Each structure stands twice: as C-alpha cells, then as structure tokens.
Amino acid sequence: MRPNFEPMSLVARVKEATAAALESINKLPFYADDVVVSTTKPEFEGDYTVVLFSLVKRLGKQPEALGNELGAWLTVNHGDLFTAFNVIKGFLNLTLADSVLLAGLETPAVFRPTPSSARKVMVEYSSPNTNKPLHLGHLRNNFLGWSVAEILKAAGHDVRKTCIVNDRGIHICKSMIAWQLFGDGATPQSTTIKGDHLVGDYYVRCETAIKEQYETLLGQTKKNDYSGIEPEAVDKLQALHAAIDSLDPDKEKEKRQKLVEERKELLRAQTPIMLKARQMLVDWENGKPEVIELWKKMNAWVYKGFDETYKRIGTDFDKTYYESETYLLGRRFVDMGVERGVFFRKEDGSVWIDLTAEGLDEKLVLRKDGTSVYITQDLGLAHQKYEEFPYDQSIYVIADEQNYHMKVLKLILQKLDMPYAGGIEHLSYGMVELPSGRMKSREGTVVDADDIVAEMVRESETRTAEKSNPQDFTPEELTALYETIGLGALKFFLLKVDPKKKMVFNPEESIDFHGFTGPFIQYTHARLRSILRKESPAASTGAASPLFRLEKELMLLLEQYPAILQEAASSFSPAVIANYIYAVARTCNSFYTEHKVLKAESEEKKQLRLRLCERTADTIREGMHLLGIRVPERM
RNA sequence: GGCCCGGUAGUUCAAUGGAUAGAAUAGGAGUUUCCUAAACUCUAGAUACAAGUUCGAUUCUUGUCCGGGCUACCA
C-alpha cells in the first residue's frame, strides 16, 4: 500500500476495487496496475469503464461472463462506490454513486504530495543572447520553462528556476563593432529605442555590412586580387575558386553548391568588418579595458530591455548565470577526462571524445588552441549548478535542434561518472514556424516578442470594446484587463500544444479569442465569478441527488485535477493542464446554460450548483496560474 | 550519405494498444422576456501508403513516399 498523503483519485479507487474483486473471485493475486480503466463514452450508461480483454486471457473466461461477475461483486461489496453496471462487448461500465461525488465537493482539491517523492529540480530556460531581442521562439521557451517549474512546484518538488545568458562571443562583438563603426554614439536614450532592440539593430547592420563586403571580396578574389585576406586563407580560396570553376553548374550542381557554401563561409570570415569583430573578441578575452567597457555598456542596455520584456510576460528566475563568468569552468573536465581515458588528445593538441560506440561521432571538447567549445562550457556549468543546488533532476528547456548536443552532454557526464549525470533531462520542444516555414533572422521573418505581445494586447482592447461596457471599468482596470486577455491568448496558444511538437504560428490570422483559447477560459471564469458575487454557496450542499448528467460530468472532471497535475508534472507538459482546463470550462459552460444556478429548482440544487461554480472557478484559476495566465473577475 | 523527429478534417491541435478517432476554427442551420452571446445547440468533414504483431493499431515493428532537424575547431 502506498502512503495516503493525497486523497486517492476515483480512477485509482476503481482500479483497486476491481483488483480486489478479481482477487476475491479468482483466488489469484491482482494489482491495481493490472486494471485498465477509462472514462465511459457518453453514448453508454456509466462513468468509468473497465476494459476486460486484457484479463480474459489470464483467467480463461468469456468477457461477458467476467464483466457480469465483476460488476455484481463490485455493486454488492462496494455499494458505497458503485450503484449500477452494464457489460457491452468486452467493457464493464460502472456507474458511480452520487454520494461519492458529493463527498468529493466537501474537501478542497488541494494536492499534497508525499514527502518521499519530492525532488530537488532545477529548470533552465529562456537562455537569451545579448546581441538581439527576444522573439516568438523565446516566448515558447519562456512560457514552457516557467510553467513546467510552477507545475513541478505545485506537485510538491523543490524547484529552482535558472537562466543562462549568453553574453559573450563573436555575435556580441558583431553588434559592438557595428555600433562603433556606424553608431555615431547612439544610445537607447538618444534614440528612444529599447536597449535590446538597439543592440539588435547593430547586429543586423553588421550582417548587412558582411554581405556587402563579401560581394566585393568575391569579385576581387575572382580577379586574383587577394589583398586584405589573411595569408593562411589565400591558398584555400584559390583552391576553392579553381574547384568551383571546374565543376559543371548543371551536372554537378550539388557538389558545386557545397563548395560555393564553403567559399562563402571562408570569405565572410575574411571581410574587413569580421576581421575587426574577431580582433575585438581576442581583445575581450585579454581584458582590454575599452572593449570591456563597451561590452558592459551595451549589455546593460540589453538587460534593461530584457527586464522590461520579462516583467511584462511574467517570467522570473531564481538565479541567472552569465556565460562570461562560467565559460572557463569546463576546462578542468578536459584534464580529468584525459586522465581517466574518457577523452583523447590528438597530435595538434585538440581533445576529443569518441562516441562512435554509442552511435554518435567523435566530438571535439577542446580546440587545438586550448580554448573551450560550447559543450565544454556546458559541462562546467552543469557541475557549477550541482554544487550550488544539489539537484536530483536538471531540466534544460531547449529547442529540439539541440537534441544531439544534449545527448552528448549527458553521455559525457555519465562517462565521467558525475553523480548528477542521470538527472539531466532535455525538455526538447519543437520550433515555432510560420506558414511559410521556419523563421529566419537573415530573411527578416522573425516575429519579435515585444511586437507580438503589444499586438495581442491591442487586439484584446479592440475585442473588449466590442463586447463589454467600458464604463463598468476604471481606466486602470481596463489597461490591466487588456494585458490579462492579450497575454492570456498568447500564452495559451503557445502552451496548449504538446511541447515536443513543432507548431505553426500564422501572423495573418493572429491568435483567436474564441474556442480553444485563453480568453474563452478567462470568460468562463469571469462569468462564474459574476454568479458567485451575487451569492456564495452555504457551508453544506445538502442532498442534491439525483445528479443531472452535466452536473455529474463536471464533478467527475473536477475530481481529476490532482491526477492531471501529476501527469503534467511527470511528463513536463503544460499542454496537459491546458487541455484539461479547457475541458472543464467547456463542460461548465454547457452545464450552466442547461441548468439555472441562482434560480435553481430547489434550494439543494442551488447550493450544489453554487458549490460547483466555486469549485470550477477555483480549478480554472489554479490551472491557469500554472500556465502563467491570470483570470479576470469581470470581462 | 549517417543519425534523430514528425505526417490525423480545408486549417490549427487531441486521443495510457480499446467501443462509432475527439476539439477548435473556417462552412451550413438555430438559441438572448432566463445568472455576461468572447457563450450554447445541431450539421458536414480526417488517421500519407503497404505489409506485420494483436481479440483489437492513430498508437508497436518493418518498408515506401513526403516534410523538418542535426551531422562546425559557431554559440
């Protein structure tokens, strides 16, 4: 028997009762997990259904006979739980007693996890780069990470939210050099452009310059003029030019295309502005004061911008790591790995790990010049995090394009026998795509986070103006309401889809406010609160049997909340909550359209329905909170 | 080439190996003397293809076709 810190769910009780019945009838051991239970399809009589097929083989009985036998035993021995049954084909449909559901309404739906199952969990998400503002993909990441952390907390775990800021590297230097060259001293104050956007603008400016200079260099080197090119690149370029010219553009298209790409990369790295950016990176690593100062200044602009965005979308972290402070931490792993024979050193001094036995490749962990690569830095950071917060589980919310990287990270730590290696989980989520395909910053098809949030809020304003009477609200209330609805629509849209799946965002059609949406659920909540403002349920609901179908359906749904929360926590899926809350809201809408609450046919029914409204509103508020979505009292 | 994902109504998403594959939206038809019509009710519409395992397959296995990602001494 498991310790009962939580009220056992009805499904669990059905399973245990059925297992007991099987054991009693057949004198064989059965466990609750042997029993498959699902909700009964609406076209059949009953609430929960036991699937008999899986039991038939073991017992050597006909499904119908087994079902009747079980149903009879259960209604006799568990009359408190079941009032009726029927058997159709291989399914035993059981009808639950009204009293069981009514009793459930008396206790609060708060879930208390068992202390023994509580884990220390670190959740890392957001992971922005400081060279450009946040975009739609970051929003999915932020909403997911924040929500998963809250779900795990609600399920009783000790959770630490973290963020790793990628604040160093060549991409930052690109923004810095472009600002130096073209910025003319521009600041967020002087331009009234949000800091992260301003820095992002110079990143784009740098990319433009690279493109132009690349074209120039291409023409120049084709004419055999290699002035300004680093000596070690000249030979390679000459070889590439020759190779490309020798290939037939039609017959050997693919091969040629590959070489052209290679030449492009090489030439881009040789453009004057890139040479300057690379020099800047070297200067940064050497701590050259004026470079560090510029870097600090521009990063400060970006952080101010990020803070605004984070505040607006409701993201927060317990701890922020900066790559500039952690990127050297992985070095010691390299020596350790070589010592233990997990890594090997090549003649040129570079260090590798051979993962071919695991079906992967050889992976570089240290460059020949002795500097760390991405994976080395992540090794160091994983260790650092563990020292600060000895986690049982460390969840990385990172897009699925990094599946390979994360696999390698975990594998290396396992090979190094790190105690925390097993707890590393990649919450791999699909990319947000446009109808035209993937968002590409090069092609300017990236949906900016601030823009889309602003647009959603504007849209909610327009729609609210059509629906509500603005005179009912103060201006402050209206502003807050638009934020609540606009962000609710956006968050729900991004969280209702299974995290693992990629999803399509259509900016034309934007995000709906009807149907399976945040505002639909917010609206349901507001209407429920509106009823409850007029009258609160009394202390006891009294006897309101028999229950109507919709009353019962709603009660059954509400009873499932703790189980749903557990499922969401174990699968790291806010979508489970979103789907559930939507089902609750939809069922509740049908319910109070069909049955009057305040003008109910009897006092008992009125009290029952008021209690149901209250419980539904609470469940919606709680569930939406786990998604980071506020619910209004009125709208 | 190798490895990893995915393919469900026109569209966007659901479905611990279980009954007649659910929703939303777009389409068609209705519901405001009754607690907010951002709602409710009805209607029509889908598992890429082919084998296999199974009492039963959207789900598991294999193959084919079609998308996407990764396969950097970038991060």
Side-chain angles (χ1 to χ4, degrees):
Chain A
M1 279 302 286
R2 78 188 93 163
N4 274 317
F5 289 90
E6 69 202 80
M8 200 190 291
S9 73
L10 282 176
V11 172
R13 288 172 71 181
V14 171
K15 284 186 182 184
E16 297 226 330
T18 308
L22 285 163
E23 214 162 83
S24 166
I25 296 169
N26 300 292
K27 311 293 178 214
L28 288 168
F30 277 91
Y31 302 96
D33 287 345
D34 297 332
V35 183
V36 178
V37 171
S38 58
T39 52
T40 304
K41 298 263 172 194
E43 56 269 37
F44 300 105
E45 180 73 31
D47 301 309
Y48 283 108
T49 296
V50 176
V51 181
L52 302 167
F53 294 109
S54 53
L55 304 164
V56 164
K57 194 175 277 179
R58 178 168 167 197
L59 295 171
K61 294 180 180 174
Q62 290 301 310
E64 301 260 342
L66 177 62
N68 283 313
E69 196 175 68
L70 271 178
W73 194 95
L74 286 169
T75 42
V76 169
N77 294 287
H78 276 286
D80 54 325
L81 204 51
F82 308 106
T83 54
F85 76 94
N86 63 81
V87 180
I88 297 170
K89 294 202 256 175
F91 302 92
L92 168 61
N93 301 321
L94 296 160
T95 301
L96 292 173
D98 287 356
S99 55
V100 174
L101 292 166
L102 289 166
L105 273 190
E106 300 301 324
T107 56
V110 178
F111 174 70
R112 295 270 173 260
T114 62
S116 62
S117 72
R119 302 188 301 268
K120 281 173 114 70
V121 186
M122 203 165 234
V123 184
E124 176 193 290
Y125 58 100
S126 199
S127 319
N129 289 2
T130 56
N131 65 320
K132 50 189 171 190
L134 305 176
H135 57 70
L136 187 55
H138 287 114
L139 289 182
R140 189 179 196 192
N141 182 307
N142 274 289
F143 296 159
L144 258 180
W146 191 93
S147 178
V148 165
E150 291 299 321
I151 288 168
L152 288 168
K153 270 190 214 172
H157 302 293
D158 183 8
V159 181
R160 178 88 42 114
K161 297 187 248 190
T162 69
C163 175
I164 171 78
V165 178
N166 182 1
D167 61 344
R168 61 162 286 278
I170 190 68
H171 48 289
I172 316 300
C173 293
K174 286 184 186 175
S175 290
M176 285 159 65
I177 197 72
W179 183 83
Q180 263 190 347
L181 292 172
F182 315 114
D184 204 17
T187 67
Q189 291 74 31
S190 74
T191 56
T192 67
I193 296 174
K194 198 161 161 272
D196 49 339
H197 288 261
L198 183 71
V199 172
D201 289 346
Y202 285 102
Y203 182 78
V204 173
R205 186 72 186 79
C206 181
E207 286 294 331
T208 314
I210 293 172
K211 212 170 179 177
E212 289 164 4
Q213 295 178 357
Y214 158 77
E215 295 294 343
T216 310
L217 271 189
L218 183 62
Q220 175 193 326
T221 55
K222 272 184 176 169
K223 290 177 196 151
N224 220 21
D225 175 1
Y226 288 92
S227 53
I229 306 254
E230 291 178 312
E232 59 266 31
V234 173
D235 289 349
K236 273 193 210 163
L237 265 174
Q238 282 175 329
L240 275 171
H241 277 315
I244 290 166
D245 290 342
S246 72
L247 290 173
D248 189 308
D250 296 323
K251 289 179 190 161
E252 293 156 303
K253 199 175 167 186
E254 273 183 31
K255 199 174 169 188
R256 191 170 183 278
Q257 190 63 39
K258 215 176 157 186
L259 290 178
V260 168
E261 283 298 317
E262 202 177 317
R263 180 177 66 184
K264 189 173 179 181
E265 280 310 302
L266 194 57
L267 273 173
R268 280 171 57 91
Q270 292 298 321
T271 52
I273 196 165
M274 271 306 288
L275 292 179
K276 288 201 183 80
R278 292 223 307 271
Q279 181 57 45
M280 198 173 236
L281 183 58
V282 173
D283 290 342
W284 183 90
E285 300 212 351
N286 291 331
K288 194 175 176 185
E290 52 270 42
V291 172
I292 298 290
E293 198 190 322
L294 175 63
W295 172 74
K296 281 186 179 163
K297 179 166 78 179
M298 291 182 72
N299 269 351
W301 296 344
V302 172
Y303 294 143
K304 190 152 180 291
F306 283 173
D307 283 347
E308 265 178 52
T309 305
Y310 283 147
K311 192 165 181 224
R312 188 171 196 188
I313 66 175
T315 286
D316 57 14
F317 310 101
D318 298 310
K319 164 110 195 189
T320 300
Y321 293 93
Y322 297 91
E323 201 182 288
S324 56
E325 293 166 3
T326 64
Y327 81 110
L328 297 176
L329 294 173
R331 291 269 179 91
R332 60 176 154 163
F333 278 86
V334 176
D335 295 331
M336 185 202 301
V338 172
E339 247 170 61
R340 296 189 187 177
V342 177
F343 300 158
F344 66 93
R345 200 180 292 273
K346 286 192 178 172
E347 280 179 10
D348 63 5
S350 60
V351 179
W352 298 72
I353 183 166
D354 183 359
L355 298 173
T356 46
E358 282 78 14
L360 306 175
D361 301 315
E362 287 189 351
K363 186 89 185 168
L364 180 89
V365 293
L366 193 77
R367 297 193 189 96
K368 64 183 172 200
D369 63 7
T371 56
S372 301
V373 289
Y374 183 33
I375 194 92
T376 327
Q377 298 171 26
D378 269 358
L379 294 172
L381 182 58
H383 195 86
Q384 171 89 357
K385 284 168 151 185
Y386 183 73
E387 286 187 337
E388 292 177 7
F389 183 76
Y391 51 77
D392 301 299
Q393 209 165 29
S394 180
I395 300 168
Y396 293 73
V397 182
I398 306 179
D400 59 10
E401 61 184 352
Q402 296 207 36
N403 285 352
Y404 180 75
H405 173 82
M406 290 304 296
K407 211 165 154 185
V408 171
L409 176 68
K410 181 164 181 168
L411 205 48
I412 293 179
L413 288 170
Q414 280 173 330
K415 282 177 172 268
L416 291 171
D417 279 331
M418 291 299 138
Y420 45 87
I424 287 183
E425 294 275 351
H426 179 196
L427 173 41
S428 164
Y429 65 90
M431 308 279 243
V432 184
E433 295 185 353
L434 301 172
S436 56
R438 199 174 165 177
M439 292 190 285
K440 288 179 180 143
S441 48
R442 274 207 320 259
E443 291 163 28
T445 55
V446 174
V447 177
D448 180 76
D450 293 323
D451 288 351
I452 188 69
V453 169
E455 195 185 318
M456 293 308 300
V457 172
R458 261 200 315 277
E459 186 68 22
S460 78
E461 181 174 353
T462 311
R463 306 230 181 189
T464 305
E466 290 165 6
K467 303 291 178 189
S468 303
N469 184 359
Q471 290 168 349
D472 294 346
F473 298 86
T474 67
E476 293 76 27
E477 284 173 338
L478 276 178
T479 308
L481 184 63
Y482 302 150
E483 286 283 319
T484 298
I485 297 172
L487 273 168
L490 183 60
K491 288 189 183 188
F492 198 85
F493 177 83
L494 290 172
L495 287 175
K496 72 179 180 183
V497 179
D498 180 347
K500 290 191 293 293
K501 291 194 165 182
K502 69 181 177 195
M503 60 187 298
V504 177
F505 172 78
N506 189 336
E508 305 301 317
E509 295 172 14
S510 194
I511 297 170
D512 219 321
F513 286 64
H514 300 275
F516 187 11
T517 66
F520 170 93
I521 295 166
Q522 291 172 321
Y523 176 72
T524 304
H525 179 266
R527 283 187 68 174
L528 288 171
R529 295 304 310 167
S530 173
I531 294 170
L532 291 163
R533 268 196 302 279
K534 293 187 174 156
E535 189 164 349
S536 296
S540 176
T541 53
S545 282
L547 296 173
F548 289 105
R549 185 183 63 85
L550 280 166
E551 290 170 337
K552 207 171 178 185
E553 205 174 304
L554 185 56
M555 291 163 94
L556 280 165
L557 258 179
L558 291 171
E559 188 275 334
Q560 291 167 8
Y561 178 73
I564 293 289
L565 175 59
Q566 279 310 295
E567 192 193 329
S570 57
S571 59
F572 307 135
S573 177
V576 169
I577 302 281
N579 279 285
Y580 168 75
I581 292 298
Y582 173 61
V584 169
R586 196 161 43 95
T587 305
C588 185
N589 279 337
S590 298
F591 153 72
Y592 71 46
T593 302
E594 176 81 19
H595 302 291
K596 290 187 171 63
V597 177
L598 295 176
K599 297 174 186 171
E601 53 272 33
S602 70
E603 181 61 21
E604 285 77 20
K605 280 293 187 192
K606 182 168 102 175
Q607 289 306 326
L608 168 75
R609 287 171 195 166
L610 279 171
R611 181 56 62 91
L612 263 175
C613 286
E614 187 181 51
R615 174 63 68 94
T616 303
D618 287 351
T619 304
I620 287 176
R621 184 174 11 80
E622 178 64 22
M624 291 292 264
H625 163 75
L626 296 179
L627 304 178
I629 300 171
R630 290 194 299 269
V631 285
E633 292 290 305
R634 299 184 295 151
M635 69 184 271

